């Protein structure tokens, strides 16, 4: 099983503000849905709330320390390890960790692949993506998109792959 992150991040590493995305970038939102469609996604409880429920057409695993948070549209686990083991039990080819900041930070060392969209702006926020060690990953692909009527910022889709030493 390949464990992946998928994230959109500003140039100053912001991913969220007030439990929302700090931008409207419909093209990146479509990319996210296309890449993760039909797969298993693992998310923190706050990201689940930000999404207003489970992501459609995906098996959703939500991580929480709460004993009472038990939505009926998602599998709930009480640790990240348990979430990954649960995902693995379905024998998937790839599992996507979809944030937010707390979950990305605790799993960066575990992922083999990172789908990262750099939104070419700096914004204020309260949720961040952790610093990636450039010696651990290499760029597998890179696609640049200019801002347009619908998408206010230039942005670049990278896929990073972990080096195996
Ligand atoms: N730009 C992007 O690509 C992107 C992607 C995803 C999310 N976001 C943004 O990120 C923000 C949310 O991120 P966040 O860091 O505030 O929250 P988060 O990572 O989504 O969720 C944090 C919650 O997850 C649970 N949790 C965390 N670590 C755990 C552990 N080790 N064991 C068990 N439960 C654990 C806790 O839930 P309980 O409090 O219930 O115990 C914690 O409060 C939002 O603004 C969202 O829009 C952005």
């Amino acid at each position: 099983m390949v464990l992946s992150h998928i994230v959109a991040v500003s140039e100053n590493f912001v991913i969220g503000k007030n439990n929302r995305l700090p931008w409207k970038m419909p093209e990146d939102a479509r990319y996210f849905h296309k890449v993760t469609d039909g797969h298993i996604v693992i998310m923190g409880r706050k990201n689940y709330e930000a999404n207003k429920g489970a992501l459609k057409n995906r098996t959703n695993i939500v991580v929480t320390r709460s004993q009472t948070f038990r939505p009926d549209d998602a599998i709930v686990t009480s640790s990240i390890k348990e979430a990954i083991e649960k995902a693995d039990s379905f024998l998937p080819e790839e599992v996507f960790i979809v944030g937010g900041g707390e979950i990305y930070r605790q799993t960066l060392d575990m992922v083999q692949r990172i789908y990262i969209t750099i939104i070419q702006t700096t914004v204020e926020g309260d949720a961040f993506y952790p610093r990636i060690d450039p010696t651990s990953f290499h760029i597998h692909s890179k696609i640049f998109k200019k801002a347009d009527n619908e998408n206010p910022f230039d942005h670049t889709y990278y896929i990073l792959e972990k080096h195996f030493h």
Side-chain angles (χ1 to χ4, degrees), residues 6-10 14-23 28 32 43-51 62-67 69 77-81 97-106 115 117 119 126-129:
I6 182 163
V7 64
V9 56
S10 70
V14 170
I15 63 164
K17 187 180 181 184
N18 299 329
N19 214 29
R20 298 183 55 174
L21 292 179
W23 46 70
D28 180 63
F32 171 84
M43 69 187 76
R45 192 265 309 160
K46 290 183 185 168
N47 188 21
Y48 173 89
E49 307 280 5
N51 294 329
V62 182
V63 185
T64 179
R65 296 185 183 92
S66 163
Q67 302 293 318
F69 175 80
T77 68
S78 58
S79 73
I80 290 170
K81 182 170 177 283
I97 293 174
V98 299
E102 284 189 38
I103 302 300
Y104 289 135
R105 181 168 46 75
Q106 296 174 73
Y115 300 77
T117 307
I119 310 291
D126 52 25
F128 297 86
Y129 193 72

CSV table of all heavy atoms in Angstrom, one decimal, residues 6-10 14-23 28 32 43-51 62-67 69 77-81 97-106 115 117 119 126-129, ligand 1:
chain,number,residue,atom,x,y,z
A,6,ILE,N,-2.1,14.5,0.2
A,6,ILE,CA,-2.6,15.4,-0.8
A,6,ILE,C,-2.9,16.7,-0.1
A,6,ILE,O,-3.7,16.7,0.8
A,6,ILE,CB,-3.7,14.8,-1.7
A,6,ILE,CG1,-4.0,15.8,-2.9
A,6,ILE,CG2,-4.9,14.3,-1.0
A,6,ILE,CD1,-4.8,15.2,-4.0
A,7,VAL,N,-2.4,17.8,-0.6
A,7,VAL,CA,-2.5,19.1,0.1
A,7,VAL,C,-2.3,20.2,-0.9
A,7,VAL,O,-1.6,20.1,-1.9
A,7,VAL,CB,-1.4,19.1,1.2
A,7,VAL,CG1,0.0,19.1,0.7
A,7,VAL,CG2,-1.7,20.3,2.2
A,8,ALA,N,-3.0,21.3,-0.6
A,8,ALA,CA,-2.7,22.6,-1.2
A,8,ALA,C,-2.2,23.6,-0.2
A,8,ALA,O,-2.8,23.7,0.9
A,8,ALA,CB,-4.0,23.1,-1.9
A,9,VAL,N,-1.1,24.3,-0.6
A,9,VAL,CA,-0.4,25.1,0.4
A,9,VAL,C,0.1,26.4,-0.2
A,9,VAL,O,0.5,26.4,-1.4
A,9,VAL,CB,0.8,24.2,1.0
A,9,VAL,CG1,1.7,23.7,0.0
A,9,VAL,CG2,1.5,24.9,2.1
A,10,SER,N,0.0,27.5,0.6
A,10,SER,CA,0.5,28.8,0.1
A,10,SER,C,2.0,28.8,0.2
A,10,SER,O,2.6,27.9,0.8
A,10,SER,CB,-0.1,29.9,0.9
A,10,SER,OG,0.5,29.9,2.2
A,14,VAL,N,0.7,28.0,4.6
A,14,VAL,CA,-0.6,28.0,5.2
A,14,VAL,C,-1.5,27.0,4.4
A,14,VAL,O,-1.5,27.0,3.1
A,14,VAL,CB,-1.2,29.4,5.1
A,14,VAL,CG1,-2.7,29.4,5.5
A,14,VAL,CG2,-0.5,30.3,6.1
A,15,ILE,N,-2.3,26.3,5.1
A,15,ILE,CA,-3.3,25.4,4.5
A,15,ILE,C,-4.8,25.7,4.9
A,15,ILE,O,-5.7,25.3,4.3
A,15,ILE,CB,-3.1,23.9,4.7
A,15,ILE,CG1,-3.2,23.6,6.2
A,15,ILE,CG2,-1.7,23.5,4.2
A,15,ILE,CD1,-3.3,22.1,6.5
A,16,GLY,N,-4.9,26.5,6.0
A,16,GLY,CA,-6.3,26.7,6.5
A,16,GLY,C,-6.4,27.9,7.4
A,16,GLY,O,-5.4,28.4,7.9
A,17,LYS,N,-7.6,28.5,7.5
A,17,LYS,CA,-7.9,29.6,8.3
A,17,LYS,C,-9.3,29.5,8.9
A,17,LYS,O,-10.2,29.3,8.0
A,17,LYS,CB,-7.7,30.9,7.6
A,17,LYS,CG,-7.8,32.1,8.4
A,17,LYS,CD,-7.7,33.4,7.6
A,17,LYS,CE,-7.8,34.6,8.6
A,17,LYS,NZ,-7.7,35.9,7.9
A,18,ASN,N,-9.5,29.6,10.2
A,18,ASN,CA,-10.8,29.4,10.8
A,18,ASN,C,-11.6,28.2,10.3
A,18,ASN,O,-12.7,28.2,10.0
A,18,ASN,CB,-11.7,30.7,10.5
A,18,ASN,CG,-11.1,31.9,11.0
A,18,ASN,OD1,-10.4,31.9,12.1
A,18,ASN,ND2,-11.3,33.1,10.4
A,19,ASN,N,-10.8,27.1,10.2
A,19,ASN,CA,-11.3,25.8,9.8
A,19,ASN,C,-12.0,25.8,8.4
A,19,ASN,O,-13.0,25.1,8.1
A,19,ASN,CB,-12.3,25.2,10.8
A,19,ASN,CG,-12.2,23.7,10.8
A,19,ASN,OD1,-11.1,23.1,10.5
A,19,ASN,ND2,-13.2,23.0,11.2
A,20,ARG,N,-11.3,26.6,7.5
A,20,ARG,CA,-11.7,26.6,6.1
A,20,ARG,C,-10.5,26.8,5.3
A,20,ARG,O,-9.4,27.1,5.8
A,20,ARG,CB,-12.6,27.9,5.8
A,20,ARG,CG,-13.9,27.9,6.6
A,20,ARG,CD,-14.7,29.1,6.2
A,20,ARG,NE,-14.9,29.1,4.7
A,20,ARG,CZ,-15.7,30.0,4.1
A,20,ARG,NH1,-16.3,30.9,4.8
A,20,ARG,NH2,-15.9,29.9,2.8
A,21,LEU,N,-10.6,26.5,4.0
A,21,LEU,CA,-9.5,26.8,3.1
A,21,LEU,C,-9.4,28.3,2.9
A,21,LEU,O,-10.4,29.0,2.9
A,21,LEU,CB,-9.8,26.2,1.7
A,21,LEU,CG,-9.8,24.6,1.6
A,21,LEU,CD1,-10.1,24.2,0.2
A,21,LEU,CD2,-8.4,24.1,2.1
A,22,PRO,N,-8.2,28.9,2.9
A,22,PRO,CA,-8.1,30.3,2.8
A,22,PRO,C,-8.2,30.9,1.4
A,22,PRO,O,-8.0,32.0,1.1
A,22,PRO,CB,-6.6,30.5,3.3
A,22,PRO,CG,-6.0,29.2,3.5
A,22,PRO,CD,-6.9,28.2,3.0
A,23,TRP,N,-8.6,30.0,0.4
A,23,TRP,CA,-8.8,30.5,-1.0
A,23,TRP,C,-9.9,29.7,-1.7
A,23,TRP,O,-10.3,28.7,-1.2
A,23,TRP,CB,-7.5,30.3,-1.8
A,23,TRP,CG,-6.9,28.9,-1.5
A,23,TRP,CD1,-7.4,27.7,-1.9
A,23,TRP,CD2,-5.8,28.6,-0.7
A,23,TRP,NE1,-6.7,26.7,-1.5
A,23,TRP,CE2,-5.6,27.2,-0.7
A,23,TRP,CE3,-4.8,29.4,0.0
A,23,TRP,CZ2,-4.6,26.5,0.0
A,23,TRP,CZ3,-3.8,28.7,0.7
A,23,TRP,CH2,-3.7,27.3,0.7
A,28,ASP,N,-8.0,23.4,-8.4
A,28,ASP,CA,-7.3,22.5,-7.5
A,28,ASP,C,-8.3,21.6,-6.8
A,28,ASP,O,-8.0,20.5,-6.5
A,28,ASP,CB,-6.5,23.3,-6.5
A,28,ASP,CG,-5.9,22.4,-5.5
A,28,ASP,OD1,-5.0,21.7,-5.9
A,28,ASP,OD2,-6.2,22.5,-4.3
A,32,PHE,N,-8.1,17.6,-6.6
A,32,PHE,CA,-8.2,16.8,-5.4
A,32,PHE,C,-9.3,15.7,-5.5
A,32,PHE,O,-9.0,14.5,-5.2
A,32,PHE,CB,-8.6,17.7,-4.2
A,32,PHE,CG,-8.9,17.0,-3.0
A,32,PHE,CD1,-7.9,16.6,-2.1
A,32,PHE,CD2,-10.2,16.7,-2.6
A,32,PHE,CE1,-8.2,15.9,-0.9
A,32,PHE,CE2,-10.5,16.0,-1.5
A,32,PHE,CZ,-9.5,15.6,-0.6
A,43,MET,N,-8.6,11.5,7.6
A,43,MET,CA,-8.6,12.9,7.9
A,43,MET,C,-8.7,13.1,9.4
A,43,MET,O,-9.2,12.2,10.2
A,43,MET,CB,-9.7,13.6,7.2
A,43,MET,CG,-11.1,13.2,7.7
A,43,MET,SD,-12.4,13.9,6.7
A,43,MET,CE,-12.3,12.9,5.2
A,44,GLY,N,-8.3,14.3,9.9
A,44,GLY,CA,-8.6,14.7,11.3
A,44,GLY,C,-10.0,15.1,11.5
A,44,GLY,O,-10.7,15.5,10.5
A,45,ARG,N,-10.5,15.1,12.7
A,45,ARG,CA,-11.9,15.4,13.0
A,45,ARG,C,-12.2,16.9,12.6
A,45,ARG,O,-13.3,17.1,12.1
A,45,ARG,CB,-12.1,15.2,14.5
A,45,ARG,CG,-13.6,15.2,14.9
A,45,ARG,CD,-14.0,16.6,15.4
A,45,ARG,NE,-13.2,17.2,16.4
A,45,ARG,CZ,-13.1,18.5,16.7
A,45,ARG,NH1,-13.9,19.3,16.1
A,45,ARG,NH2,-12.3,18.9,17.6
A,46,LYS,N,-11.2,17.8,12.7
A,46,LYS,CA,-11.5,19.2,12.3
A,46,LYS,C,-11.7,19.3,10.8
A,46,LYS,O,-12.5,20.1,10.3
A,46,LYS,CB,-10.5,20.1,12.8
A,46,LYS,CG,-10.5,20.3,14.3
A,46,LYS,CD,-9.5,21.3,14.8
A,46,LYS,CE,-9.5,21.3,16.3
A,46,LYS,NZ,-8.3,22.0,16.9
A,47,ASN,N,-10.9,18.6,10.1
A,47,ASN,CA,-11.0,18.6,8.6
A,47,ASN,C,-12.4,18.0,8.2
A,47,ASN,O,-13.1,18.5,7.3
A,47,ASN,CB,-9.9,17.8,8.0
A,47,ASN,CG,-9.9,17.9,6.5
A,47,ASN,OD1,-10.4,18.9,5.9
A,47,ASN,ND2,-9.2,17.0,5.8
A,48,TYR,N,-12.8,16.9,8.9
A,48,TYR,CA,-14.1,16.3,8.6
A,48,TYR,C,-15.2,17.4,8.8
A,48,TYR,O,-16.1,17.6,8.0
A,48,TYR,CB,-14.4,15.1,9.5
A,48,TYR,CG,-15.8,14.6,9.5
A,48,TYR,CD1,-16.1,13.6,8.6
A,48,TYR,CD2,-16.8,15.0,10.3
A,48,TYR,CE1,-17.4,13.1,8.5
A,48,TYR,CE2,-18.1,14.5,10.3
A,48,TYR,CZ,-18.4,13.5,9.3
A,48,TYR,OH,-19.6,13.0,9.3
A,49,GLU,N,-15.1,18.2,9.9
A,49,GLU,CA,-16.1,19.3,10.2
A,49,GLU,C,-16.0,20.3,9.1
A,49,GLU,O,-17.0,20.8,8.6
A,49,GLU,CB,-15.8,19.9,11.5
A,49,GLU,CG,-15.7,19.0,12.7
A,49,GLU,CD,-17.1,18.6,13.3
A,49,GLU,OE1,-18.1,18.9,12.6
A,49,GLU,OE2,-17.1,17.9,14.3
A,50,ALA,N,-14.7,20.6,8.7
A,50,ALA,CA,-14.6,21.7,7.6
A,50,ALA,C,-15.2,21.2,6.3
A,50,ALA,O,-15.8,22.0,5.6
A,50,ALA,CB,-13.1,21.9,7.4
A,51,ASN,N,-15.2,19.9,6.0
A,51,ASN,CA,-15.8,19.4,4.8
A,51,ASN,C,-17.3,19.2,4.9
A,51,ASN,O,-18.0,18.8,4.0
A,51,ASN,CB,-15.2,18.0,4.4
A,51,ASN,CG,-13.7,18.1,4.1
A,51,ASN,OD1,-13.3,19.1,3.5
A,51,ASN,ND2,-13.0,17.0,4.4
A,62,VAL,N,-12.0,8.9,10.0
A,62,VAL,CA,-11.8,10.1,10.7
A,62,VAL,C,-11.1,9.8,12.0
A,62,VAL,O,-11.5,8.9,12.7
A,62,VAL,CB,-13.1,10.9,11.0
A,62,VAL,CG1,-12.8,12.2,11.7
A,62,VAL,CG2,-13.8,11.1,9.7
A,63,VAL,N,-10.0,10.6,12.4
A,63,VAL,CA,-9.2,10.3,13.6
A,63,VAL,C,-9.7,11.4,14.6
A,63,VAL,O,-9.7,12.6,14.4
A,63,VAL,CB,-7.7,10.5,13.3
A,63,VAL,CG1,-6.9,10.2,14.5
A,63,VAL,CG2,-7.3,9.6,12.1
A,64,THR,N,-10.0,10.9,15.8
A,64,THR,CA,-10.4,11.7,16.9
A,64,THR,C,-10.1,11.1,18.2
A,64,THR,O,-10.0,9.9,18.3
A,64,THR,CB,-12.0,12.0,16.9
A,64,THR,OG1,-12.4,12.8,17.9
A,64,THR,CG2,-12.8,10.7,17.0
A,65,ARG,N,-9.9,11.9,19.3
A,65,ARG,CA,-9.7,11.4,20.6
A,65,ARG,C,-11.0,11.3,21.4
A,65,ARG,O,-11.1,10.8,22.5
A,65,ARG,CB,-8.7,12.2,21.4
A,65,ARG,CG,-7.3,12.2,20.8
A,65,ARG,CD,-6.3,13.0,21.6
A,65,ARG,NE,-5.0,13.0,21.0
A,65,ARG,CZ,-4.5,13.9,20.1
A,65,ARG,NH1,-5.3,15.0,19.9
A,65,ARG,NH2,-3.4,13.8,19.6
A,66,SER,N,-12.1,11.9,20.7
A,66,SER,CA,-13.4,11.9,21.4
A,66,SER,C,-14.0,10.5,21.4
A,66,SER,O,-13.9,9.7,20.5
A,66,SER,CB,-14.3,12.8,20.5
A,66,SER,OG,-15.7,12.6,20.9
A,67,GLN,N,-14.7,10.3,22.6
A,67,GLN,CA,-15.4,9.0,22.7
A,67,GLN,C,-16.8,9.1,22.2
A,67,GLN,O,-17.5,8.1,22.1
A,67,GLN,CB,-15.5,8.6,24.2
A,67,GLN,CG,-14.1,8.5,24.9
A,67,GLN,CD,-13.3,7.3,24.4
A,67,GLN,OE1,-13.9,6.2,24.2
A,67,GLN,NE2,-12.0,7.5,24.2
A,69,PHE,N,-17.8,11.3,19.4
A,69,PHE,CA,-18.0,11.7,18.0
A,69,PHE,C,-18.1,10.4,17.1
A,69,PHE,O,-17.1,9.7,16.9
A,69,PHE,CB,-16.7,12.5,17.6
A,69,PHE,CG,-16.7,12.9,16.1
A,69,PHE,CD1,-17.4,13.9,15.6
A,69,PHE,CD2,-15.9,12.2,15.2
A,69,PHE,CE1,-17.4,14.3,14.3
A,69,PHE,CE2,-15.8,12.5,13.9
A,69,PHE,CZ,-16.6,13.5,13.4
A,77,THR,N,-11.6,6.3,14.1
A,77,THR,CA,-10.5,5.6,14.9
A,77,THR,C,-9.9,6.6,15.9
A,77,THR,O,-10.1,7.8,15.8
A,77,THR,CB,-9.3,5.1,14.0
A,77,THR,OG1,-8.6,6.3,13.4
A,77,THR,CG2,-9.8,4.2,12.9
A,78,SER,N,-9.3,6.1,16.9
A,78,SER,CA,-8.8,6.9,18.0
A,78,SER,C,-7.3,7.2,17.9
A,78,SER,O,-6.7,7.8,18.8
A,78,SER,CB,-9.1,6.3,19.4
A,78,SER,OG,-8.6,5.0,19.5
A,79,SER,N,-6.7,6.7,16.9
A,79,SER,CA,-5.3,7.0,16.6
A,79,SER,C,-5.0,7.0,15.1
A,79,SER,O,-5.7,6.4,14.4
A,79,SER,CB,-4.3,6.1,17.4
A,79,SER,OG,-4.3,4.8,16.7
A,80,ILE,N,-3.9,7.6,14.8
A,80,ILE,CA,-3.5,7.6,13.4
A,80,ILE,C,-3.0,6.2,13.0
A,80,ILE,O,-3.3,5.7,11.9
A,80,ILE,CB,-2.4,8.6,13.1
A,80,ILE,CG1,-3.0,10.1,13.2
A,80,ILE,CG2,-1.7,8.4,11.8
A,80,ILE,CD1,-2.0,11.2,13.3
A,81,LYS,N,-2.3,5.5,13.9
A,81,LYS,CA,-1.9,4.2,13.6
A,81,LYS,C,-3.0,3.3,13.3
A,81,LYS,O,-3.0,2.5,12.3
A,81,LYS,CB,-1.1,3.7,14.8
A,81,LYS,CG,-0.5,2.3,14.7
A,81,LYS,CD,0.5,2.0,15.9
A,81,LYS,CE,1.1,0.6,15.8
A,81,LYS,NZ,0.1,-0.4,16.3
A,97,ILE,N,-3.9,10.6,2.9
A,97,ILE,CA,-4.1,11.4,4.1
A,97,ILE,C,-4.4,12.8,3.6
A,97,ILE,O,-3.7,13.4,2.8
A,97,ILE,CB,-2.9,11.3,4.9
A,97,ILE,CG1,-2.7,9.9,5.5
A,97,ILE,CG2,-2.9,12.3,6.1
A,97,ILE,CD1,-1.4,9.6,6.2
A,98,VAL,N,-5.6,13.3,4.0
A,98,VAL,CA,-6.1,14.5,3.4
A,98,VAL,C,-6.2,15.7,4.4
A,98,VAL,O,-6.9,16.7,4.2
A,98,VAL,CB,-7.5,14.3,2.7
A,98,VAL,CG1,-7.4,13.3,1.6
A,98,VAL,CG2,-8.6,13.9,3.7
A,99,GLY,N,-5.4,15.6,5.5
A,99,GLY,CA,-5.3,16.7,6.4
A,99,GLY,C,-6.2,16.6,7.6
A,99,GLY,O,-6.9,15.6,7.8
A,100,GLY,N,-6.3,17.7,8.4
A,100,GLY,CA,-5.6,18.9,8.2
A,100,GLY,C,-4.2,18.9,8.8
A,100,GLY,O,-3.5,17.9,8.8
A,101,GLY,N,-3.8,20.1,9.3
A,101,GLY,CA,-2.4,20.4,9.7
A,101,GLY,C,-1.9,19.4,10.7
A,101,GLY,O,-0.8,18.9,10.6
A,102,GLU,N,-2.7,19.1,11.7
A,102,GLU,CA,-2.2,18.2,12.8
A,102,GLU,C,-1.9,16.8,12.3
A,102,GLU,O,-1.0,16.2,12.7
A,102,GLU,CB,-3.3,18.1,13.9
A,102,GLU,CG,-3.4,19.2,14.8
A,102,GLU,CD,-4.4,18.9,16.0
A,102,GLU,OE1,-4.3,17.8,16.5
A,102,GLU,OE2,-5.1,19.8,16.4
A,103,ILE,N,-2.8,16.4,11.4
A,103,ILE,CA,-2.6,15.0,10.8
A,103,ILE,C,-1.5,15.0,9.8
A,103,ILE,O,-0.7,14.0,9.8
A,103,ILE,CB,-4.0,14.6,10.1
A,103,ILE,CG1,-5.1,14.6,11.1
A,103,ILE,CG2,-3.8,13.2,9.5
A,103,ILE,CD1,-5.0,13.7,12.4
A,104,TYR,N,-1.3,16.0,9.0
A,104,TYR,CA,-0.1,16.0,8.1
A,104,TYR,C,1.2,16.0,8.9
A,104,TYR,O,2.1,15.3,8.5
A,104,TYR,CB,-0.2,17.3,7.3
A,104,TYR,CG,-1.2,17.4,6.2
A,104,TYR,CD1,-1.9,18.6,6.0
A,104,TYR,CD2,-1.5,16.4,5.3
A,104,TYR,CE1,-2.9,18.7,5.0
A,104,TYR,CE2,-2.4,16.5,4.3
A,104,TYR,CZ,-3.1,17.7,4.1
A,104,TYR,OH,-4.0,17.8,3.2
A,105,ARG,N,1.2,16.8,10.0
A,105,ARG,CA,2.4,16.9,10.8
A,105,ARG,C,2.8,15.5,11.4
A,105,ARG,O,4.0,15.2,11.4
A,105,ARG,CB,2.3,18.0,11.9
A,105,ARG,CG,3.5,18.2,12.7
A,105,ARG,CD,3.3,19.4,13.6
A,105,ARG,NE,2.0,19.5,14.3
A,105,ARG,CZ,1.6,18.7,15.3
A,105,ARG,NH1,2.5,17.9,15.9
A,105,ARG,NH2,0.5,18.9,15.9
A,106,GLN,N,1.8,14.8,11.8
A,106,GLN,CA,2.1,13.5,12.5
A,106,GLN,C,2.4,12.4,11.5
A,106,GLN,O,2.8,11.3,12.0
A,106,GLN,CB,1.0,13.2,13.4
A,106,GLN,CG,0.8,14.1,14.6
A,106,GLN,CD,-0.5,13.8,15.4
A,106,GLN,OE1,-0.5,12.8,16.1
A,106,GLN,NE2,-1.5,14.6,15.2
A,115,TYR,N,1.2,14.7,-3.0
A,115,TYR,CA,0.6,15.5,-4.1
A,115,TYR,C,0.4,16.9,-3.5
A,115,TYR,O,-0.4,17.1,-2.6
A,115,TYR,CB,-0.8,14.9,-4.5
A,115,TYR,CG,-0.8,13.5,-5.0
A,115,TYR,CD1,-0.7,12.4,-4.1
A,115,TYR,CD2,-0.9,13.3,-6.4
A,115,TYR,CE1,-0.7,11.1,-4.6
A,115,TYR,CE2,-1.0,11.9,-6.9
A,115,TYR,CZ,-0.8,10.9,-6.0
A,115,TYR,OH,-0.9,9.6,-6.4
A,117,THR,N,0.0,21.0,-4.1
A,117,THR,CA,-0.3,22.1,-5.0
A,117,THR,C,0.2,23.3,-4.3
A,117,THR,O,-0.2,23.7,-3.2
A,117,THR,CB,-1.8,22.3,-5.3
A,117,THR,OG1,-2.3,21.0,-5.7
A,117,THR,CG2,-2.0,23.3,-6.3
A,119,ILE,N,0.1,27.1,-4.0
A,119,ILE,CA,-0.8,28.2,-4.4
A,119,ILE,C,0.1,29.4,-4.3
A,119,ILE,O,0.6,29.8,-3.2
A,119,ILE,CB,-2.0,28.3,-3.5
A,119,ILE,CG1,-2.8,27.0,-3.4
A,119,ILE,CG2,-2.9,29.5,-4.0
A,119,ILE,CD1,-3.5,26.5,-4.6
A,126,ASP,N,-4.1,29.7,10.2
A,126,ASP,CA,-3.9,29.1,11.5
A,126,ASP,C,-3.6,27.6,11.4
A,126,ASP,O,-3.5,27.0,12.4
A,126,ASP,CB,-5.1,29.4,12.4
A,126,ASP,CG,-6.4,29.0,11.8
A,126,ASP,OD1,-6.4,28.2,11.0
A,126,ASP,OD2,-7.4,29.6,12.3
A,127,ALA,N,-3.6,27.1,10.2
A,127,ALA,CA,-3.2,25.7,10.0
A,127,ALA,C,-2.1,25.7,8.9
A,127,ALA,O,-2.2,26.4,7.9
A,127,ALA,CB,-4.4,24.9,9.6
A,128,PHE,N,-1.1,24.8,9.2
A,128,PHE,CA,0.1,24.8,8.3
A,128,PHE,C,0.5,23.4,7.9
A,128,PHE,O,0.2,22.5,8.6
A,128,PHE,CB,1.2,25.5,9.1
A,128,PHE,CG,1.0,26.9,9.5
A,128,PHE,CD1,0.3,27.2,10.7
A,128,PHE,CD2,1.4,27.9,8.7
A,128,PHE,CE1,0.1,28.6,11.0
A,128,PHE,CE2,1.2,29.2,9.0
A,128,PHE,CZ,0.5,29.6,10.1
A,129,TYR,N,1.2,23.4,6.8
A,129,TYR,CA,1.8,22.1,6.3
A,129,TYR,C,3.2,22.1,6.9
A,129,TYR,O,3.9,23.2,6.9
A,129,TYR,CB,1.8,22.0,4.8
A,129,TYR,CG,2.1,20.6,4.3
A,129,TYR,CD1,1.2,19.6,4.5
A,129,TYR,CD2,3.4,20.4,3.8
A,129,TYR,CE1,1.5,18.3,4.1
A,129,TYR,CE2,3.7,19.1,3.4
A,129,TYR,CZ,2.8,18.0,3.5
A,129,TYR,OH,3.1,16.8,3.1
B,1,LIG,N1,-5.1,23.2,2.1
B,1,LIG,C1,-5.4,21.9,2.2
B,1,LIG,O1,-5.0,21.1,1.3
B,1,LIG,C2,-6.1,21.4,3.4
B,1,LIG,C3,-6.4,20.1,3.5
B,1,LIG,C4,-7.1,19.6,4.7
B,1,LIG,C5,-7.5,20.6,5.6
B,1,LIG,N2,-7.2,21.9,5.5
B,1,LIG,C6,-7.5,22.9,6.5
B,1,LIG,O2,-6.8,22.5,7.7
B,1,LIG,C7,-7.6,23.0,8.8
B,1,LIG,C8,-7.8,21.9,9.8
B,1,LIG,O3,-6.5,21.4,10.3
B,1,LIG,P1,-6.2,21.2,11.9
B,1,LIG,O4,-4.8,21.0,12.0
B,1,LIG,O5,-6.9,22.4,12.6
B,1,LIG,O6,-7.1,20.0,12.3
B,1,LIG,P2,-7.1,18.4,11.7
B,1,LIG,O7,-5.7,17.9,11.6
B,1,LIG,O8,-8.1,18.4,10.6
B,1,LIG,O9,-7.9,17.7,13.0
B,1,LIG,C9,-7.3,17.8,14.2
B,1,LIG,C10,-8.1,16.8,15.1
B,1,LIG,O10,-7.8,15.5,14.8
B,1,LIG,C11,-7.8,14.7,15.9
B,1,LIG,N3,-6.4,14.2,16.1
B,1,LIG,C12,-5.3,14.8,15.8
B,1,LIG,N4,-4.2,14.0,16.1
B,1,LIG,C13,-4.7,12.9,16.6
B,1,LIG,C14,-4.2,11.7,17.2
B,1,LIG,N5,-2.8,11.5,17.2
B,1,LIG,N6,-5.0,10.7,17.7
B,1,LIG,C15,-6.3,10.9,17.7
B,1,LIG,N7,-6.9,12.0,17.2
B,1,LIG,C16,-6.1,13.0,16.7
B,1,LIG,C17,-8.3,15.6,17.1
B,1,LIG,O11,-9.7,15.5,17.1
B,1,LIG,P3,-10.6,15.7,18.4
B,1,LIG,O12,-10.4,17.1,18.8
B,1,LIG,O13,-12.0,15.3,18.0
B,1,LIG,O14,-10.0,14.7,19.4
B,1,LIG,C18,-7.8,16.9,16.6
B,1,LIG,O15,-8.5,18.0,17.2
B,1,LIG,C19,-8.8,23.6,8.2
B,1,LIG,O16,-8.6,25.0,8.1
B,1,LIG,C20,-8.9,23.0,6.9
B,1,LIG,O17,-9.7,23.8,5.9
B,1,LIG,C21,-6.5,22.3,4.4
